[in-house]
Amino acid sequence: MAGVDGVARLERSQTRKAAEVLARAFHDDPFYVAILPREESRPRRLAWFMERMLRYGLPYGHVYTTRAVAGVACWFPPGHLSPAVRDILRSGLSALPLRLGFGAYRRLTDFMKYAGTVRARCVPEPHWYLLLLGVDDPYRGQGLGGKLIQPVLARASEQRVACYLETEEERNLRFYARHGFHLAEEG
């Protein structure tokens, strides 16, 4: 495993720490605030959710971090966006309604349907999907986010395959533009 700035694949033993980093990074993100509006329970629920997303991402996606787990990028390769029932069960995502609450689960599934429609419209061809990119507060603004997404951006460039993501933060648009993304749709 590389140093703080060196990027490598996330190891299963790092999953919980990585989920905690993502929970802190997304605590005030408008999407997660809308899904989990109760601020006092958001850190716990968000950490649980992120851990399940990473558990799904490890065997089916490409999850990158650093030795210190200062940030995390979770990508899904072309054709791996719809989990099978066995994958949902294995990752623990089947407990979403109970662990997040039924209201949060409904808001999440409504967004996922909407986002799926937008994604299909914006990138109908096979593409890499950046599900999560988060950097812990002490490491923000040091270029780590760019380093975390670079392995897949390079691979996608070699393969001549598009990359796609959603962001709810306007301030993120400049960061992603510096890495070759452009705004496909606002919603």
Side-chain angles (χ1 to χ4, degrees):
M1 186 64 69
V4 166
D5 288 336
V7 172
R9 298 290 282 264
L10 182 77
E11 296 175 15
R12 187 169 299 282
S13 63
Q14 298 172 304
T15 304
R16 178 158 295 172
K17 186 173 182 181
E20 291 167 357
V21 166
L22 289 170
R24 287 190 296 272
F26 285 102
H27 181 268
D28 295 320
D29 183 89
F31 171 71
Y32 291 104
V33 169
I35 298 298
L36 300 166
R38 293 182 50 217
E39 188 168 1
E40 65 279 0
S41 64
R42 191 177 319 127
R44 177 179 43 81
R45 289 181 173 182
L46 200 48
W48 181 89
F49 177 69
M50 293 299 179
E51 187 172 350
R52 292 336 170 265
M53 296 305 291
L54 292 173
R55 282 185 184 180
Y56 177 69
L58 279 170
Y60 305 105
H62 294 247
V63 185
Y64 294 93
T65 191
T66 65
R67 177 201 259 165
V69 190
V72 181
C74 181
W75 291 88
F76 286 96
H80 286 80
L81 290 177
S82 299
V85 173
R86 70 171 160 36
D87 303 330
I88 291 170
L89 293 172
R90 192 175 300 145
S91 68
L93 286 171
S94 60
L96 274 174
L98 297 173
R99 294 300 299 253
L100 296 185
F102 290 102
Y105 179 72
R106 184 180 44 40
R107 290 185 293 275
L108 179 64
T109 56
D110 287 349
F111 173 79
M112 289 170 52
K113 288 176 192 171
Y114 169 75
T117 301
V118 172
R119 186 172 48 251
R121 186 169 50 244
C122 291
V123 282
E125 70 274 2
H127 59 278
W128 284 88
Y129 177 59
L130 179 59
L131 176 67
L132 297 165
L133 174 61
V135 174
D136 218 351
D137 284 340
Y139 302 98
R140 286 190 183 174
Q142 299 175 27
L144 187 55
K147 290 177 183 177
L148 287 166
I149 62 174
Q150 205 53 51
V152 170
L153 291 179
R155 186 171 181 176
S157 179
E158 288 173 12
Q159 298 170 339
R160 298 184 184 267
V161 175
C163 293
Y164 180 84
L165 65 95
E166 294 106 14
T167 184
E168 289 72 35
E169 294 274 8
E170 190 171 336
R171 64 189 168 113
N172 291 343
L173 296 178
R174 284 194 348 220
F175 167 82
Y176 288 117
R178 284 195 311 268
H179 295 283
F181 289 88
H182 67 274
L183 183 62
E185 185 171 314
E186 286 187 62

